[in-house]
Amino acid sequence: MSEQSSQHALAYGATTIAYQLSFTTRQDVAIHVHPDTRVTVEAPLDSEFAQVEARVRKRAAWIVRQQRNFRRYSYEIPPRQYVSGESHRYLGRQYRLKVLQCEGRKESVTMDRERILVYARTPGDRERIRKLVDDWHRQQARLVFAGRVELWQPRFERYGVQGPQVVVRRMNSRWGSCTAQGKITLNLKLIQVPKRLIDYVVVHELCHLVENNHGEGFYALMRRMMPDWEGRREGLNGFEF
């Protein structure tokens, strides 16, 4: 629970970053950029303000980038139309959508080197195309995410982590989560980013199966398992979808 809250600001180049600071019972500093571009910072109760401000300054480039992305999503990017020629991301690459008539074959979605091919009975039915593409993304996400967890999980066996269940779900504010029972949930949106960024979220959640909070033990384990995790986190948070 928050003990106190106050407003602060710091200069980053020609930009002023305003943020609301709360001191809480958490064990590390957390910086959040919200869809309305507000910045909130949570810090441990015993934190010195100078240390918190230094952390915000260190993340200033990321904060400004996230605010810019949210503004662009809100005002510039039109909703997807699910028509031929539209660009869609998959594992970090851009592909062009190509909508085709089924002509006797089952409705399906496949890929070639440059395109996502959608075979539909009614190519002009955009809602149907959306569902076909969404179902395909979910199917691919289940396969890819399970494969990434299978790749990294053996490194955690020494800590008692055994074959976690992997669930794919749309999530509005988190890349992933896990339960004490060993279930890892990953955001469907991750299927759009490169595998090395998916791996960051996978390792993050596997670490939480060993260390359930963001304390010193958690970050020590993250560094042990993935020394470049901070760079990958920056890459994910700055990824342009």
Side-chain angles (χ1 to χ4, degrees):
M1 181 178 294
S2 176
E3 298 293 330
Q4 57 184 18
S5 179
S6 55
Q7 294 291 332
H8 301 273
L10 62 81
Y12 176 68
T15 302
T16 299
I17 298 175
Y19 61 95
Q20 178 179 325
L21 172 61
S22 300
F23 290 94
T24 75
T25 55
R26 65 178 297 123
Q27 297 184 28
D28 64 326
V29 176
I31 301 173
H32 308 281
V33 181
H34 301 272
D36 61 2
T37 73
R38 288 182 303 111
V39 180
T40 58
V41 180
E42 297 173 294
L45 292 172
D46 59 353
S47 299
E48 296 289 339
F49 175 72
Q51 295 175 317
V52 177
E53 185 178 51
R55 181 66 180 274
V56 176
R57 190 175 300 280
K58 182 178 179 181
R59 300 296 305 283
W62 172 79
I63 292 170
V64 171
R65 187 164 59 245
Q66 288 295 94
Q67 289 178 321
R68 184 176 64 244
N69 287 342
F70 278 129
R71 291 189 187 100
R72 184 169 66 248
Y73 297 155
S74 298
Y75 303 112
E76 297 179 14
I77 297 181
R80 291 201 176 277
Q81 300 299 309
Y82 292 93
V83 295
S84 291
E86 190 172 60
S87 179
H88 287 250
R89 282 195 181 274
Y90 176 73
L91 294 181
R93 286 189 55 198
Q94 293 275 14
Y95 291 84
R96 293 293 178 183
L97 201 66
K98 180 67 174 179
V99 182
L100 301 163
Q101 181 74 45
C102 279
E103 296 182 352
R105 62 185 291 172
K106 287 184 177 181
E107 290 188 316
S108 62
V109 179
T110 62
M111 291 179 65
D112 62 21
R113 294 181 63 180
E114 298 179 350
R115 300 174 298 176
I116 297 174
L117 307 171
V118 183
Y119 294 90
R121 287 189 295 272
T122 53
D125 184 346
R126 295 181 184 178
E127 179 57 27
R128 179 58 182 166
I129 304 306
R130 183 202 63 76
K131 185 173 189 311
L132 288 170
V133 173
D134 187 65
D135 288 347
W136 178 78
H137 272 122
R138 287 181 181 277
Q139 180 183 26
Q140 296 302 115
R142 292 188 188 102
L143 293 172
V144 172
F145 296 171
R148 304 321 290 175
V149 171
E150 185 177 348
L151 175 69
W152 285 93
Q153 178 271 331
R155 309 182 194 194
F156 289 82
E157 287 183 349
R158 72 181 73 174
Y159 302 101
V161 176
Q162 299 293 330
Q165 177 188 1
V166 181
V167 176
V168 177
R169 185 163 63 86
R170 287 192 183 277
M171 305 171 79
N172 293 326
S173 60
R174 309 176 79 177
W175 292 119
S177 65
C178 66
T179 68
Q181 292 71 39
K183 181 174 75 173
I184 291 177
T185 301
L186 297 174
N187 193 329
L188 174 62
K189 198 172 184 179
L190 287 170
I191 197 61
Q192 299 181 49
V193 309
K195 287 182 179 179
R196 67 183 302 273
L197 303 185
I198 298 173
D199 286 352
Y200 157 69
V201 182
V202 167
V203 171
H204 185 106
E205 299 309 328
L206 287 170
C207 284
H208 272 314
L209 295 180
V210 181
E211 300 281 346
N212 63 7
N213 58 42
H214 289 108
E216 292 182 5
F218 171 83
Y219 288 112
L221 186 57
M222 278 294 296
R223 287 190 294 271
R224 191 176 308 128
M225 293 298 178
M226 182 177 279
D228 65 340
W229 70 268
E230 289 180 289
R232 298 193 197 209
R233 181 182 64 183
E234 293 291 328
L236 178 59
N237 289 334
F239 191 83
E240 295 187 2
F241 289 90

